[in-house]
Amino acid sequence: MADRGGSGEAAAAGAAAAPVPGLNPTLGWRERLRAGLAGTGASLWFVTGLGLLYALRIPLRLCENLAAVTVFLNSLTPKFYVALTGTSSLISGLIFIFEWWYFHKHGTSFIEQVSVRHLQPLMGGTESSISEPGSPSRNRESETSRQNLSECKVWRNPLNLFRGAEYRSCATAYVLLAEEEATTIVDAEKLFKQALKAGETIYRQSQQCQHQSPQHEAQLRRDTNVLVYIKRRLAMCARKLGRIREAVKIMRDLMKEFPPLTMLNIHENLLESLLELQAYADVQAVLAKYDDIGLPKSAAICYTAALLKTRTVSEKFSLETASRRGLSTAEINAVEAIHRAVEFNPHVPKYLLEMKSLILPPEHILKRGDSEAIAYAFFHLQHWKRIEGALNLLQCTWEGTFRMIPHPLEKGHLFYPYPSCTEMADRELLPTFHHVSVYPKKELPLFIHFTAGFCSSTAMIAILTHQFPEIMGIFAKTMLGLWRPQPWASSGFEENTQDLKSEDLGLSSG
């Protein structure tokens, strides 16, 4: 059964796909007419311009003026064409460099952005200009924006130890000291234990007063979150100090005592600790409970499930043998688990395979983003290396995921389509020196290809005209003859090119 990335993503996509009550999803004939007129505005202007030129061809003496322009072009020397093509190559090269820099910095084309913002309204308007408040198109845009916001929700990194408490009470004051002032894990653990004493006292007081008023109920929820936060941090301290079984016990007790608080992702900390103990049966039991279609997914869940299935076949896996005899059922299950994990977060494999350098994980992460991939690989790479052949199987199969995902990404395969807003959020979460991984790879804008081609072609024409003026003169004569085969143009060009050789020798010597 297809996974759908958890209830958060399912709710967001469901809200976007649901029709708005009370509104007809189809446009009326007036809206369709206005949209059609706006879309054909540029074509109408073009046809009107051609008609005016044809009607005014005699008063404006277009034929005579065109003939005069042709004579003038024929009278130009090769020096002019060398200067012209060289200047064009230089200018287009500068535009190309600027476009490339702007695209890598902002992720869009500068010329395209200017065209869309300033020229398109003048040539027929934009879609937003015909969308009125309350119209179906405006409602669809608002639904899409709400879906994008929900897809790009930033989560606290569950494996991060320091930072992240608000100053609300004595317990949170100790938490703040532990996360901001402590220089070692041992010092942080001492402060967290003091915070635990204060937090338990406040929690018991809140329990006794919870039914007095809604404010007391809210205070109990707040104190519960603080207490769970402190205990979880103590478990992380024990994990960092090597007391892994103690950390596992604290996490299990928390999950039994406060089962509704799954949004804190304590099970992800438990998975990592159990992998360190190599208690793979316990890891499978945790996955059986939390790798469910109705619960939010994460890279830790998806890649841990893939690791467990890879563990059963990776030691004896050989690409040559598999290609010759085919994959067994266990190998197919392992490959499918890897494909599922890669579809959820395609940035992880490059860090696990050490194709990209790791950095310290950030305090907050974006699910399915590069920040989550860094956090997962930073803490779980050792578990993949511990299982012989696991990274080899991952390397042989992970790129096959992208052949199953529809392109363009209008829909997903096992999860909802990959959100398009992860790049900007990851750039805010990660340091500036880190090269953010982007999926899907953005294609270079048309204007970058155009300026690069124009710069290269004009530079080549300038060099050829400078080195081989006679051949280029014959080529130009042929092209002009094909463009407008008039007798006077050919004779004028012959008269002008009689002294080409002497001119060219003077140019070459200069």
Side-chain angles (χ1 to χ4, degrees):
M1 191 170 183
D3 289 307
R4 286 296 177 184
S7 57
E9 294 184 14
V20 181
L23 290 177
N24 185 4
T26 58
L27 293 174
W29 66 271
R30 294 183 179 179
E31 287 78 6
R32 290 198 300 269
L33 178 62
R34 294 175 63 186
L37 291 176
T40 58
S43 302
L44 291 176
W45 277 109
F46 181 73
V47 173
T48 303
L50 290 179
L52 286 175
L53 285 177
Y54 182 79
L56 299 176
R57 67 187 188 281
I58 296 178
L60 295 178
R61 303 175 64 185
L62 293 180
C63 297
E64 292 81 354
N65 292 333
L66 184 61
V69 170
T70 307
V71 172
F72 172 74
L73 293 177
N74 290 333
S75 65
L76 297 175
T77 63
K79 292 182 179 179
F80 172 81
Y81 289 106
V82 172
L84 177 63
T85 52
T87 305
S88 301
S89 177
L90 176 62
I91 295 175
S92 58
L94 294 176
I95 296 174
F96 168 70
I97 294 173
F98 174 76
E99 275 283 294
W100 184 272
W101 169 83
Y102 192 88
F103 174 75
H104 278 273
K105 184 175 179 63
H106 300 283
T108 184
S109 168
F110 175 77
I111 299 177
E112 182 180 351
Q113 192 175 17
V114 171
S115 301
V116 170
R117 288 186 178 181
H118 302 288
L119 298 183
Q120 187 174 354
L122 299 177
M123 298 178 64
T126 60
E127 184 180 357
S128 59
S129 63
I130 64 171
S131 297
E132 299 177 355
S135 65
S137 59
R138 178 63 59 88
N139 283 277
R140 283 195 296 270
E141 292 174 0
S142 62
E143 291 292 338
T144 304
S145 63
R146 283 196 292 268
Q147 178 184 4
N148 291 335
L149 288 177
S150 62
E151 285 178 343
C152 288
K153 177 182 178 181
V154 175
W155 299 71
R156 174 173 295 280
N157 182 359
L159 296 174
N160 184 54
L161 178 59
F162 297 104
R163 295 182 173 276
E166 296 180 5
Y167 190 90
R168 287 189 298 240
S169 65
C170 182
T172 50
Y174 280 119
V175 171
L176 192 63
L177 290 174
E179 296 186 336
E180 299 292 344
E181 298 295 331
T183 56
T184 64
I185 304 297
V186 175
D187 295 338
E189 186 180 31
K190 293 178 181 178
L191 291 171
F192 276 125
K193 287 180 178 179
Q194 292 179 289
L196 179 61
K197 294 179 181 179
E200 288 177 339
T201 302
I202 298 174
Y203 176 72
R204 285 192 294 268
Q205 294 175 355
S206 299
Q207 276 186 317
Q208 297 173 358
C209 304
Q210 60 175 318
H211 301 295
Q212 294 182 4
S213 66
Q215 289 78 12
H216 286 86
E217 292 181 0
Q219 183 177 355
L220 176 62
R221 289 193 298 269
R222 181 201 69 183
D223 295 335
T224 302
N225 291 333
V226 171
L227 182 62
V228 173
Y229 184 89
I230 295 171
K231 289 185 176 181
R232 178 184 178 182
R233 286 310 191 204
L234 282 172
M236 290 301 299
C237 288
R239 165 68 183 91
K240 297 293 184 182
L241 294 174
R243 305 195 306 269
I244 305 175
R245 297 189 182 278
E246 178 185 345
V248 169
K249 184 180 183 304
I250 297 175
M251 294 175 194
R252 288 188 183 278
D253 293 341
L254 275 176
M255 294 167 64
K256 290 178 181 179
E257 188 177 358
F258 305 100
L261 298 180
T262 56
M263 73 288 296
L264 297 178
N265 299 323
I266 302 175
H267 55 278
E268 296 186 18
N269 301 112
L270 179 60
L271 286 174
E272 197 279 328
S273 300
L274 291 174
L275 286 173
E276 182 64 22
L277 291 174
Q278 301 184 38
Y280 298 113
D282 294 336
V283 174
Q284 185 62 57
V286 175
L287 287 176
K289 182 177 181 181
Y290 290 96
D291 192 6
D292 184 78
I293 189 173
L295 295 177
K297 298 295 180 291
S298 66
I301 291 178
C302 295
Y303 278 90
T304 301
L307 179 61
L308 290 187
K309 293 185 178 180
T310 300
R311 173 177 168 268
T312 61
V313 299
S314 60
E315 186 175 356
K316 299 180 180 180
F317 177 80
S318 173
L319 183 60
E320 294 78 9
T321 306
S323 59
R324 185 172 58 252
R325 63 167 172 80
L327 296 175
S328 63
T329 304
E331 289 172 341
I332 292 176
N333 293 335
V335 172
E336 289 179 349
I338 290 176
H339 288 175
R340 172 178 178 262
V342 174
E343 182 181 353
F344 181 82
N345 193 317
H347 312 287
V348 173
K350 288 189 176 181
Y351 293 107
L352 291 179
L353 298 173
E354 299 182 80
M355 300 168 64
K356 288 191 67 176
S357 58
L358 276 173
I359 61 173
L360 289 175
E363 180 183 353
H364 294 84
I365 60 173
L366 180 68
K367 287 197 173 182
R368 306 188 76 177
D370 192 32
S371 53
E372 184 192 33
I374 293 172
Y376 172 80
F378 187 87
F379 294 101
H380 286 259
L381 178 58
Q382 56 180 333
H383 307 313
W384 281 82
K385 287 184 175 181
R386 184 179 294 123
I387 298 176
E388 184 178 357
L391 291 176
N392 176 47
L393 181 58
L394 176 67
Q395 184 176 15
C396 295
T397 57
W398 74 277
E399 291 182 334
T401 308
F402 306 114
R403 292 193 291 267
M404 302 186 305
I405 301 176
H407 184 81
L409 299 177
E410 71 278 357
K411 60 180 180 179
H413 179 61
L414 297 175
F415 298 96
Y416 286 117
Y418 192 82
S420 59
C421 55
T422 58
E423 181 183 0
M424 298 304 296
D426 277 330
R427 291 189 186 278
E428 295 180 1
L429 295 173
L430 297 171
T432 54
F433 63 81
H434 174 71
H435 182 68
V436 176
S437 178
V438 179
Y439 176 81
K441 288 293 184 182
K442 291 186 177 180
E443 297 181 357
L444 290 177
L446 171 65
F447 294 104
I448 290 184
H449 291 286
F450 174 76
T451 52
F454 187 74
C455 174
S456 303
S457 60
T458 51
M460 184 175 295
I461 293 174
I463 294 173
L464 292 175
T465 307
H466 183 271
Q467 295 295 329
F468 309 103
E470 293 183 356
I471 298 177
M472 295 302 294
I474 296 173
F475 176 76
K477 173 184 174 182
T478 305
M479 295 302 297
L480 285 174
L482 293 175
W483 173 53
R484 189 173 180 84
Q486 296 290 344
W488 50 264
S490 178
S491 60
F493 193 84
E494 288 287 346
E495 293 175 0
N496 182 258
T497 55
Q498 289 178 356
D499 299 329
L500 259 180
K501 186 173 183 180
S502 58
E503 289 284 341
D504 297 333
L505 290 175
L507 178 62
S508 301
S509 61

